[in-house]
Amino acid sequence: MKGQNHAAMSEHAHADGVYPFPAVMQTRTIETNGTSIHVRVGGHGPAVVMLHGFGTTGDMWGHLASALIEDHMIVAPDLRGSGLSSKPDGGYDKKNQAADVAGVLDALGVRTAELVTHDIGIMVGFAVAATHPERVSRWVAIDAPLPGVGPWDQITQDPAMWHFGFGGQDMERLVAGRERIYLDRFWNELSRDQKRFDEAKRQHYAALYAQPGAMRAGFAQFLAFSQDATDNRTFLAQGKLQMPVLALGGEATFGPMMGAVMRCVADNVEDVIIPDCGHWITEEQPAATTKLVVDFLHRRS
């Protein structure tokens, strides 16, 4: 059956639009930590929590969920302020969002989980693993740095990272009604081949980010980086993580540095660079990404 899942997924490797989640999965709204988190959940077995980043929502994980649903419990939330989760004024530091994730797991009766994280989701995932190491059995970190860790200062000085400081009322006015233009910049510049982030996907995510408060919340994820850097240094002072970590990155984006970043925070790290790929790994190379993640999660040593 696993082979059939892989085969079915490969047939739709670059299908237009958002890849659907398995029909057996359901959606729930979980009230926790002063906010409402929209969660896709289903399946039985070890829990795997999938955390998205900026420019997508939990909808990005359909390929992976389809490959894991037979022997895992899938938990795919929209982060605070994203997708169909509520959009509170504050609380976007990643340590606080780790409490959101812990609250979701508590509500679902999940004690331990594997993490699969992309972009901003990596930063939330690190905070989850650092504050609740006993609850995280494995961690997959995909294509993003960690504030305050390793080459962070060098990364923040790159002019291409100008969006780290972009936010506030005037910037919100600037993008209001132009969310698609702002997001296209990320989908275009951070792709190896921008056609792989197809028009149907762009329309889907642009509509979600055009909801009231969604872009303000998106900006807040980046504007919290200085606090995240402080928190991450505190986490590091307590010692490195011990659970197995798989660091994945696109050849054209953060791939070459993912291993170095993760070895700053964890002792048991393997890293893989995905060729012919940029930042949007589940859109650009879904079959290769899914195989790497599934193989890593199925290991039990």
Side-chain angles (χ1 to χ4, degrees), residues 1-10 19-22 25 48 50 61-74 286-287 289-295 297-298:
M1 287 294 289
K2 287 172 192 160
Q4 290 176 1
N5 267 349
H6 277 302
M9 182 195 60
S10 296
Y19 194 94
F21 279 83
M25 292 188 63
V48 55
M50 303 175 181
W61 299 116
H63 287 101
L64 186 58
S66 298
L68 289 170
I69 190 69
E70 288 180 9
D71 53 13
H72 281 78
M73 176 183 180
I74 309 298
T289 302
T290 297
K291 184 179 189 312
L292 285 165
V293 174
V294 169
D295 288 350
L297 296 185
H298 278 138

Side-chain angles (χ1 to χ4, degrees), residues 84-269:
L84 300 183
S85 292
S86 64
K87 295 158 182 65
D89 289 340
Y92 294 93
D93 62 278
K94 309 313 173 287
K95 183 178 178 181
N96 187 64
Q97 290 184 83
D100 294 348
V101 174
V104 166
L105 294 180
D106 290 344
L108 295 174
V110 173
R111 178 63 189 153
T112 61
E114 302 161 328
L115 297 181
V116 182
T117 61
H118 178 248
D119 189 76
I120 297 288
I122 289 185
M123 304 172 189
V124 178
F126 176 52
V128 173
T131 54
H132 301 284
E134 75 288 351
R135 300 189 72 169
V136 178
S137 57
R138 286 178 175 269
W139 178 25
V140 180
I142 304 174
D143 210 71
L146 288 171
V149 173
W152 177 251
D153 289 342
Q154 168 191 339
I155 292 166
T156 60
Q157 292 167 18
D158 181 348
M161 298 296 115
W162 57 264
H163 56 278
F164 284 9
F166 191 86
Q169 291 184 346
D170 291 329
M171 284 74 152
E172 290 172 34
R173 289 194 302 133
L174 194 63
V175 301
R178 305 177 186 89
E179 295 85 3
R180 168 65 188 269
I181 299 170
Y182 186 78
L183 291 163
D184 271 341
R185 178 258 169 175
F186 292 85
W187 297 328
N188 292 341
E189 291 190 11
L190 297 179
S191 296
R192 169 63 69 132
D193 177 355
Q194 64 190 49
K195 295 184 185 69
R196 293 175 186 161
F197 208 111
D198 59 73
E199 178 64 21
K201 292 184 181 73
R202 291 173 188 240
Q203 291 184 15
H204 175 84
Y205 288 119
L208 290 168
Y209 277 88
Q211 296 176 99
M215 289 303 297
R216 174 185 49 76
F219 296 153
Q221 296 281 9
F222 296 100
L223 295 175
F225 280 177
S226 59
Q227 180 61 51
D228 298 333
T230 298
D231 291 337
N232 287 348
R233 293 184 187 107
T234 301
F235 295 150
L236 277 179
Q238 299 165 3
K240 291 186 179 183
L241 301 174
Q242 298 303 305
M243 75 284 294
V245 176
L246 174 62
L248 298 182
E251 176 184 42
T253 45
F254 288 107
M257 73 171 64
M258 284 304 299
V261 170
M262 288 301 124
R263 287 186 180 93
C264 292
V265 302
D267 278 334
N268 185 1
V269 178

